[in-house]
Amino acid sequence: MQKEVVIEALDHFGRGVVHENGLPIFVPFALPKERCAIEMVKEKKKYREANLLQVLSFSKDRMEPKCPYFKRCGGCQLLHLSTDGQAKFKEEKVKEIMEKFAHIPKEKIHPIASTSLNFYRNKITVHGEKSKLGFYQAKEHTIVPTSNCQMIDPAIAEIYQTLCQYQEVFGGIKQAMIRVGNKTKERMLVVEGKMKADSLVSVFSSLVTSLYVNGVCYSEHKTICSILFDKTFFVSKDSFFQVNLYMTEILYGTVLDLVKKEHFCHALDLYCGTGTIGILLAPYVKQVTGIEIVEEAIKDARENAKQNGISNVTFHQGKVEEVLPSLKEDIDLVVVDPPRSGLDEVTISTIEKRQPKTIIYISCDPVTLARDLTKFVSYEVEFIKPVDMFPNTYHVECVCVLNRRQDLINKGKINC
């Protein structure tokens, strides 16, 4: 059934929303205040979904997407929304989620930090089938063959285009991960599938710093190097490293600015990955302890500390919820950067028992952040800073600062 509607708002996934008979209708790629012709495609008990047929009156924030694969490729959802429109959407999204799920007033949400919308990704994962190579279609595992992507660093684009040509000729690639070092432009290619390693080595050994085929390294270097501020970090194939070339230093700078103003003794860096946050914190505290489950990442972290001349950082390999309760040292600062699923009950409970003065929670999902904030009963939110780490998508990163409640602040006080 077709009809005309005026879009009221965007939902948290960047879809246009209009209500009819008390039920929301979700319209992908439509923007607020636009009059649109839509076609109903799904009706559920509590909501409906529609396809956008035509925009009859345009929003001032609408842009013409430059990517020919937009609407098919599942990588981006907001290429049709302007820079200012994306920033406003994400800032309001964080405010709404925090107010609804954690009862945090909007005044505590700082203005969003944002920058370039294009060429920001230092890592991609593509998928292959027969002669095709590309990204998955939205909500499906159907591959959308692409020749380029305007979100990725040009150094990645060169490798990706060569990889597409290889797949057309030889096939066999099931999955490939490409990443590039921040500022160094060192390149890593990790390929899985049923192809001959010799052919891949002959094509790519001169193009990349580090090459893996089905888990075996075929290059002199197993890692690539990235630079943050004045520090150098080695990154392995399975290690976590922030994907945005431009916003990572802004994200971590928000953390560092806070720590520089305070006098912290012992900091915990939970889900520490390659040790980036802990190593950056080290000059401003007496001791840092990092915990990370990925063995390769911990090896990177220890090497990174050595490479940067940092001696007051200790790293532990294992699950945070298992290692954290065994630590005996007094802690006055905890920095957490968990996966999208957020923190588990054991970790939250253990942090509460350790009574640090301040918790800095870095989150890539405002919903799980809001959920977890309600469980830190001994702490108050000082502020939340949204950071647009994922332009052109509905995702948004947040830095949240929690301070121990004033009536409890003298308990568990640490003497440096």
Side-chain angles (χ1 to χ4, degrees), residues 385-402:
K385 176 75 173 179
V387 180
D388 192 3
M389 295 288 286
F390 315 101
N392 300 314
T393 78
Y394 61 77
H395 299 290
V396 58
E397 196 101 353
C398 290
V399 179
C400 177
V401 177
L402 301 98

Side-chain angles (χ1 to χ4, degrees), residues 26 32 53 87 89 95 103 195 222 250 268 287 340 381:
F26 300 113
L53 299 178
F89 159 67
K95 288 179 179 179
H103 308 294
M195 61 277 139
K222 293 185 176 182
I250 294 176
L268 278 183
Q287 181 66 33
R340 193 171 299 277
V381 173

Side-chain angles (χ1 to χ4, degrees), residues 269-411:
D269 178 13
L270 305 183
Y271 312 92
C272 67
T274 57
T276 48
I277 296 176
I279 289 169
L280 293 172
L281 288 178
Y284 309 106
V285 299
K286 286 200 169 183
Q287 181 66 33
V288 179
T289 300
I291 305 174
E292 167 63 46
I293 190 173
V294 179
E295 186 176 359
E296 269 195 355
I298 283 294
K299 290 179 180 178
D300 290 343
R302 289 168 179 159
E303 182 61 31
N304 289 334
K306 181 180 178 181
Q307 175 74 18
N308 289 287
I310 302 296
S311 59
N312 61 330
V313 179
T314 302
F315 293 107
H316 299 273
Q317 192 263 320
K319 294 181 178 180
V320 168
E321 62 269 27
E322 294 177 359
V323 177
L324 179 57
S326 69
L327 299 181
K328 304 302 181 184
E329 304 93 329
D330 288 330
I331 304 295
D332 56 351
L333 171 65
V334 174
V335 181
V336 299
D337 188 1
R340 193 171 299 277
S341 56
L343 299 175
D344 62 275
E345 298 286 350
V346 173
T347 299
I348 293 174
S349 174
T350 306
I351 292 173
E352 280 270 358
K353 290 176 183 177
R354 301 304 294 269
Q355 302 179 4
K357 177 184 175 183
T358 300
I359 301 168
I360 302 177
Y361 191 144
I362 300 172
S363 169
C364 59
D365 187 340
V367 173
T368 55
L369 171 61
R371 178 203 66 198
D372 291 347
L373 292 180
T374 63
K375 300 175 183 179
F376 282 106
V377 295
S378 303
Y379 291 83
E380 296 175 331
V381 173
E382 179 180 343
F383 69 84
I384 297 174
K385 176 75 173 179
V387 180
D388 192 3
M389 295 288 286
F390 315 101
N392 300 314
T393 78
Y394 61 77
H395 299 290
V396 58
E397 196 101 353
C398 290
V399 179
C400 177
V401 177
L402 301 98
N403 294 317
R404 191 159 169 78
R405 287 179 13 218
Q406 285 298 315
D407 57 323
L408 302 172
I409 198 68
N410 291 326
K411 296 182 180 180

Side-chain angles (χ1 to χ4, degrees), residues 19 37 59 79 88 123 130 146 164 215 238 275 277 342 349 384 393:
H19 288 80
S59 165
L79 273 176
K88 181 180 178 182
K123 177 187 176 183
K130 297 181 179 178
T146 59
C164 289
D238 294 326
I277 296 176
S349 174
I384 297 174
T393 78

